[in-house]
Amino acid sequence: DGIHTGFTRAVSPPEGVRIDRVLPGTIAAHAGIRPGDRLLSVDGMRLTRPGGAARLMKSSEARLLVIRRGDTRMAVALR
């Protein structure tokens, strides 16, 4: 399965996929991603379905995410 990102089930619409839970000690947790954030894109690829996030995370090395938290959009680099 490659890396364990820390994302669990996410639900869509209205935009991107909503993060339900972030597991402690994971890449997502270290990057500051929080439950309720909406994951909009991974490395410039827009997300429209929850399964797309996992596929893109496994196939990407750069892992630049764009998330929305409330009304704020932000870029998050995963390391």
Side-chain angles (χ1 to χ4, degrees):
D1 262 345
I3 66 167
H4 182 62
T5 60
F7 298 154
T8 59
R9 187 180 64 86
V11 214
S12 38
E15 178 184 29
V17 293
R18 190 181 61 128
I19 303 302
D20 282 342
R21 187 170 72 159
V22 178
L23 302 175
T26 60
I27 294 170
H30 290 295
I33 295 173
R34 302 179 194 165
D37 286 348
R38 282 197 149 315
L39 181 56
L40 306 178
S41 68
V42 175
D43 292 336
M45 301 290 290
R46 286 185 56 195
L47 297 174
T48 57
R49 297 186 316 185
R55 273 194 306 281
L56 285 172
M57 293 296 293
K58 289 178 184 176
S59 66
S60 170
E61 289 190 18
R63 292 190 186 90
L64 179 64
L65 309 181
V66 174
I67 65 169
R68 189 181 75 203
R69 183 173 293 149
D71 292 331
T72 304
R73 285 180 185 241
M74 59 186 84
V76 177
L78 299 182
R79 298 183 184 138

